[in-house]
Amino acid sequence: MNRRVLATGTWIGIAVLAVWTLAPIAVMTATSLKPRDEIFAIPPALLPRTWTLDNYVEVFTNSSMPRAFLNSILAALLVTIMTILLCGSVGYALARFRFRSARPVALFILLGQMVPITVLLLPLYEMIGAMQLLDTIAGIGIAHLVITVPLVTWMIRNQIAAIPVELEEAVLIDGGSRFDAVTYVTLPVAAPGLAAAGMYAFLQSWHEFVLASVLTSTTSARTAPVALTEFASEYSVDWGSTMAASVVLSVPVVIAFIALQKYFVRGLASGGVKG
């Protein structure tokens, strides 16, 4: 009896969490398909009485969202590549090489995850400006490394540390180099963790707003989260276009997660190597 009550309570809790999570997405999607006169209709209705794609047409033909969408893709891909390369190298070194300050260095890197972005705005702005990368995709990508590097370094470090070093030593004994050991043994085994780390870096860059809004001033490098503010004026907000743009902004995230969910779950859950 107690087990049945516990199971029922668990399923009810899961259902409540699912509704709580999916309700904003349902409202966003439904609002994007409503004519403007129905968005504030009283009484409110979830589903539109008249379905329309006018809001999507507005987003793609009369706004900077298409360019901002492309900028977001380029910035997120750049951040993902740089994060994997940097954090993969550092994470491997922290996991495999023994030196006196290895743990303090690892803890110092993780400390960056605890610093609020607002504290780093002015230093990052000055640094990106000194590199003459303000209002560029490269400048945004470099700035976003502040968000991704600390946690991803630890994710990859723990992933590498869980792989028995004897696998690499076997390659070295057979005459292979360390590069061969990493390429043919470590990377294939750590692939799920690297995929999870790459997806995390992509998502962090994709929806980041504060740094992108400060480091860009024109549509040439403005990302999609910043471009969403284009639909709001001083006295009104075009909620239909805003919701349509939000749906468009969510599509790549959903596609990426569906395509990589197997690796993402395995990467987060893995703690060892199966023989």
Side-chain angles (χ1 to χ4, degrees):
M1 183 64 180
N2 292 335
R3 183 175 299 177
R4 182 176 300 177
V5 171
L6 180 60
T8 302
T10 300
W11 282 109
I12 291 176
I14 293 174
V16 170
L17 288 175
V19 171
W20 181 262
T21 302
L22 297 176
I25 300 175
V27 172
M28 176 181 70
T29 305
T31 303
S32 71
L33 297 170
K34 289 181 179 180
R36 296 184 181 182
D37 58 346
E38 289 189 28
I39 293 177
F40 295 102
I42 302 297
L46 175 61
L47 297 178
R49 291 188 292 271
T50 303
W51 299 76
T52 180
L53 295 175
D54 289 347
N55 296 317
Y56 290 91
V57 174
E58 178 75 13
V59 167
F60 283 104
T61 62
N62 197 27
S63 73
S64 63
M65 185 56 68
R67 176 60 183 270
F69 189 77
L70 177 60
N71 291 341
S72 287
I73 293 177
L74 294 176
L77 289 176
L78 178 62
V79 171
T80 301
I81 294 172
M82 290 192 299
T83 299
I84 292 298
L85 291 177
L86 291 173
C87 298
S89 302
V90 176
Y92 181 86
L94 292 174
R96 286 290 187 256
F97 301 143
R98 300 297 177 221
F99 51 96
R100 181 175 300 177
S101 56
R103 185 164 183 81
V105 169
L107 293 175
F108 180 77
I109 293 175
L110 188 61
L111 183 64
Q113 193 73 25
M114 305 175 187
V115 180
I117 291 297
T118 51
V119 176
L120 302 175
L121 277 178
L122 182 57
L124 280 174
Y125 185 87
E126 293 181 347
M127 291 170 60
I128 300 299
M131 291 185 285
Q132 298 183 350
L133 292 177
L134 289 175
D135 202 29
T136 64
I137 300 297
I140 296 174
I142 293 174
H144 284 175
L145 292 178
V146 173
I147 303 173
T148 62
V149 164
L151 186 58
V152 172
T153 298
W154 270 75
M155 290 174 63
I156 295 180
R157 171 186 177 272
N158 293 337
Q159 184 74 18
I160 300 298
I163 300 174
V165 69
E166 290 79 10
L167 296 178
E168 295 182 15
E169 292 175 346
V171 175
L172 298 177
I173 293 173
D174 289 339
S177 64
R178 182 173 291 275
F179 181 80
D180 294 330
V182 172
T183 302
Y184 298 110
V185 175
T186 306
L187 289 182
V189 176
L194 295 176
M199 186 173 181
Y200 169 82
F202 184 93
L203 294 179
Q204 290 300 308
S205 175
W206 182 259
H207 62 63
E208 198 282 323
F209 174 82
V210 176
L211 291 176
S213 64
V214 171
L215 298 175
T216 59
S217 56
T218 66
T219 57
S220 62
R222 186 174 298 157
T223 58
V226 181
L228 281 176
T229 60
E230 179 180 330
F231 302 106
S233 63
E234 184 177 359
Y235 300 105
S236 64
V237 178
D238 185 352
W239 287 111
S241 297
T242 301
M243 294 298 102
S246 299
V247 171
V248 173
L249 185 60
S250 303
V251 169
V253 176
V254 175
I255 294 175
F257 183 80
I258 292 175
L260 298 174
Q261 63 175 332
K262 177 177 67 175
Y263 300 102
F264 186 70
V265 174
R266 286 174 56 191
L268 294 179
S270 61
V273 178
K274 295 181 180 180

